[in-house]
Amino acid sequence: SPEDRVTGAPRRTPTLYGHLMDTAPFHWDGDMHDFGMLTSEVFTHRMGGATLSSAQVNAMSHWLDTIGTPPALAVDATSAERGRTLFEDPSVGCASCHSGAKFTNNSSINVGTGGTFQVPSLVGVHTRSPWLHNGCAPTLADRFTNPACGGGEQHGHTAHLTPDQIGDLVAYLQTL
């Protein structure tokens, strides 16, 4: 897998689902302010390819924006609704960063997972295992039950949730 430029730690590639251009800035660090900067860094510098023209960058960005969202998983609707309520509860804190139509505030924040990272969109989150920037959570539930991986209370206030509530929260995430 790709590695972090500073620490050498593994990094996962963020999803391309759900109208990527609405989630700028790009890259886990949020240091790629626009798609042209991202393509220059990745295709030209890291992969050794030719510099893309503005027309090529525009064509690629328009094509990427045609990639819609994956279908939600079929989950228990009552469980998912309880999970939505938890997700939106300010005392839990998920929606303070994962907000809006793309479930991201497009900010870079340190949530205790090893650095300051771009808040990823949660659109289609159920399709992206393993989770978090370094893939340390093999399941969505592990994101909430493994404090060493998920950032503990810096990454939402979920330590007090029961296993059933975590199940409800995961059910909701699987509908996004």
Side-chain angles (χ1 to χ4, degrees):
S1 69
E3 291 187 352
D4 177 281
R5 292 173 295 171
V6 177
T7 67
R11 288 265 182 101
R12 295 191 63 253
T13 301
T15 186
L16 300 178
Y17 280 126
H19 306 285
L20 181 67
M21 295 309 120
D22 291 339
T23 64
F26 303 109
H27 197 252
W28 279 109
D29 296 332
D31 59 347
M32 305 289 165
H33 301 289
D34 60 45
F35 192 65
M37 186 178 200
L38 178 70
T39 59
S40 175
E41 173 63 25
V42 173
F43 294 126
T44 306
H45 295 105
R46 294 185 191 181
M47 297 172 70
T51 300
L52 299 177
S53 70
S54 294
Q56 289 170 316
V57 170
N58 284 337
M60 186 181 295
S61 71
H62 290 297
W63 175 78
L64 285 170
D65 258 359
T66 67
I67 300 173
T69 58
L73 293 179
V75 299
D76 177 83
T78 303
S79 176
E81 181 57 27
R82 287 190 305 261
R84 183 190 64 75
T85 300
L86 287 167
F87 185 90
E88 294 174 353
D89 184 334
S91 70
V92 175
C94 303
S96 65
C97 296
H98 296 285
S99 57
K102 305 296 178 217
F103 292 90
T104 178
N105 63 5
N106 294 345
S107 296
S108 294
I109 301 172
N110 183 342
V111 294
T113 58
T116 299
F117 300 113
Q118 185 73 5
V119 175
S121 169
L122 295 183
V123 173
V125 68
H126 65 279
T127 66
R128 302 192 311 246
S129 68
W131 285 271
L132 297 173
H133 71 280
N134 60 3
C136 67
T139 70
L140 276 171
D142 289 331
R143 169 5 213 135
F144 302 103
T145 58
N146 181 350
C149 173
E153 290 296 284
Q154 278 185 264
H155 194 179
H157 304 289
T158 59
H160 69 283
L161 297 180
T162 67
D164 286 343
Q165 288 174 312
I166 290 170
D168 292 340
L169 192 53
V170 168
Y172 173 64
L173 293 172
Q174 291 172 328
T175 69
L176 303 179

